[in-house]
Amino acid sequence: MTVKVGIVMDPIESISFKKDSSLAMLWAAQRKGWELWYMEQKDLYLRDGKVLAKMAPLSVDMNPDNFFERGEYQVEELSSLDVVLMRKDPPFDNEFIYTTHLLEIAAAEGNTLMVNRPQALRDYNEKIFATHFPECCPPVLVTRRDDLLRDFHAEYKDVIFKPLDGMGGTSIFRIQEEGVNLGVIIETLTKFGTETIMAQKYLPEIVDGDKRILLVNGEAVPYGLSRIPTNGETRGNLAVGGRGEGRPLTDREKWIAEQVGPTLKAQGILFAGLDVIGDYLTEVNVTSPTCIRELDDQFGLDIGMDLMNVIEAKLKP
């Protein structure tokens, strides 16, 4: 059958040909013979109860010097598409929330499959989502109160403070026992007690990597990407210079994925990324998880096609 696949993403000119996971999904969809349609957040709008989009036909190639061709833009109802891949990177701001509302209205107009489900994108903050599985998590606190954050530091001595809306390792602070700059870090992250943040016990296993585990329709890919910090860093994120090394999942990591997977599946989250340090789950990424390309390259996988096969099964009557 002819399948029309739309993607909402950051400007395609700005993505990394070598690493971008959305590109892996587009390659897989095109190999199935499906039509690709490209749009950005700004191209979606609502008029008289209908969600419309200025979208362009797209073709993708494996040539790093010319990896896409975009046709002429045209205005279509979003519900004319069979599938929409929501792959806009954070920040998770008001514009992101508004986009999920538009996607949800479009889904209700017809039978368009949204990946991931817009309400789930809106409801599940990636850092707080992990706390839905306390048996998998390290000691954690979510608050904007100065006294509670200070008490948490006093109890665990070595902690991580981070904003709830960050990505790529931005604004993550480690505060050790001496508490150097504790006050100013709390003031900066909470904006003087007006914004809620997360505190987490520091996990020394970070030196061996922060492992990204990808789940397709609630099932874990058997290998994860350990993002190993550079010297002097406490963050393994690739965006801040971490080195990616693929490794098989441990028994503990498989167990964590088994705890989280059924909830993801039930909530219509077809593609997600778990972040695990040592024995502990630290985040559940649902907006635009990455690391497909690295795992595909290192282990001969085709994770994008795995996702397209799940989508195809859901589209069949």
Side-chain angles (χ1 to χ4, degrees):
M1 60 180 176
T2 300
V3 176
K4 297 177 68 175
V5 179
I7 187 166
V8 181
M9 61 185 292
D10 289 301
I12 195 168
E13 297 88 351
S14 69
I15 68 174
S16 167
F17 172 84
K18 186 176 180 180
K19 295 182 178 181
D20 193 82
S21 290
S22 298
L23 191 54
M25 295 178 186
L26 291 170
W27 281 332
Q30 185 171 274
R31 293 201 325 266
K32 279 191 170 291
W34 296 352
E35 294 180 17
L36 305 181
W37 293 86
Y38 166 88
M39 66 204 91
E40 298 172 37
Q41 262 186 313
K42 65 183 181 181
D43 297 321
L44 276 65
Y45 62 99
L46 178 70
R47 177 66 189 265
D48 299 329
K50 294 287 185 182
V51 178
L52 303 159
K54 187 181 77 169
M55 59 181 79
L58 182 74
S59 62
V60 288
D61 197 275
M62 302 289 284
N63 178 2
D65 297 320
N66 184 27
F67 64 88
F68 75 93
E69 286 189 11
R70 184 174 47 211
E72 293 295 322
Y73 280 95
Q74 56 196 64
V75 174
E76 300 284 352
E77 291 186 13
L78 201 61
S79 60
S80 68
L81 300 173
D82 298 296
V83 183
V84 173
L85 305 174
M86 175 53 172
R87 292 287 299 174
K88 173 68 181 70
D89 283 343
F92 190 91
D93 54 13
N94 281 339
E95 286 302 315
F96 194 102
I97 292 172
Y98 302 151
T99 299
T100 66
H101 285 297
L102 295 181
L103 294 175
E104 197 164 20
I105 293 168
E109 290 175 353
N111 296 310
T112 305
L113 176 64
M114 301 292 175
V115 182
N116 288 317
R117 190 167 67 94
Q119 184 179 344
L121 293 176
R122 196 165 59 244
D123 287 352
Y124 293 110
N125 174 273
E126 300 187 321
K127 293 175 177 62
I128 296 178
F129 197 0
T131 69
H132 289 219
F133 311 94
E135 69 279 10
C136 301
C137 295
V140 64
L141 169 71
V142 176
T143 185
R144 61 183 184 179
R145 283 177 48 180
D146 179 279
D147 59 331
L148 294 179
L149 292 165
R150 289 179 181 274
D151 289 347
F152 189 86
H153 172 259
E155 181 177 358
Y156 292 105
K157 309 278 191 295
D158 197 352
V159 300
I160 294 291
F161 286 171
K162 54 187 176 180
L164 293 176
D165 61 353
M167 67 165 288
T170 56
S171 301
I172 293 178
F173 290 88
R174 178 185 178 188
I175 303 97
Q176 295 178 274
E177 184 171 4
E178 59 273 18
V180 173
N181 291 327
L182 174 61
V184 71
I185 290 170
I186 292 174
E187 290 171 1
T188 300
L189 288 178
T190 67
K191 296 184 178 171
F192 294 92
T194 63
E195 291 192 7
T196 301
I197 67 168
M198 174 174 279
Q200 218 169 53
K201 179 184 177 183
Y202 174 72
L203 300 172
E205 295 89 346
I206 185 62
V207 298
D208 296 319
D210 172 0
K211 186 180 278 188
R212 167 61 57 83
I213 301 169
L214 296 179
L215 285 83
V216 179
N217 200 27
E219 298 293 328
V221 174
Y223 302 92
L225 192 74
S226 293
R227 297 162 298 176
I228 302 166
T230 56
N231 291 336
E233 266 288 357
T234 59
R235 305 169 297 171
N237 306 75
L238 301 182
V240 293
R243 173 172 56 87
E245 182 179 305
R247 296 172 181 171
L249 300 190
T250 66
D251 288 343
R252 169 71 178 183
E253 290 162 349
K254 292 175 184 175
W255 178 82
I256 290 173
E258 288 168 359
Q259 308 316 300
V260 181
T263 298
L264 296 174
K265 193 171 182 178
Q267 294 300 323
I269 300 171
L270 299 187
F271 188 67
L274 310 184
D275 290 346
V276 175
I277 300 174
D279 286 337
Y280 297 104
L281 174 69
T282 60
E283 292 188 24
V284 180
N285 295 271
V286 300
T287 50
S288 57
T290 60
C291 298
I292 288 179
R293 303 287 296 287
E294 293 87 348
L295 291 172
D296 280 357
D297 290 345
Q298 292 186 38
F299 298 105
L301 305 175
D302 195 346
I303 299 168
M305 186 59 76
D306 293 339
L307 176 60
M308 294 307 128
N309 288 338
V310 167
I311 289 171
E312 185 173 38
K314 289 185 173 294
L315 292 177
K316 288 180 179 178

